[in-house]
Amino acid sequence: MSQLHHRIFHVHGRVQGVFFRQSTQQEARRLGLSGYARNNSDGTVTIEAEGIPEALDALEAWCRHGPPLARVEKVEPSSGPVQGYDGFEVRR
């Protein structure tokens, strides 16, 4: 079994008001990831996710287009220490 990894994605573009966080939650749960998605005051969305590297790569690829109404301009990935999230939630 692969070790858990932690990634942070800052997503830029038209990503608020288009069900981006809720769609991210569905995709993350489908991939078996834990963490959260939240809107930021600058119009971006931050996603913190934990899981196996292959699932995190798949989430990053999904974030590059997002749900149908989104217009993603840029995804900035970074890594961080594992937090031990339980489930995947949408935060305000």
Side-chain angles (χ1 to χ4, degrees), residues 66-82:
L69 295 175
R71 295 293 173 263
V72 177
E73 295 172 4
K74 177 173 58 170
V75 177
E76 296 177 307
S78 59
S79 60
V82 172

Side-chain angles (χ1 to χ4, degrees), residues 26-48:
Q26 291 175 348
E27 185 66 10
R29 287 178 173 172
R30 186 184 74 76
L31 292 167
L33 297 170
S34 59
Y36 68 87
R38 74 160 190 263
N39 284 341
N40 300 309
S41 60
D42 65 359
T44 63
V45 169
T46 295
I47 300 160
E48 291 205 26

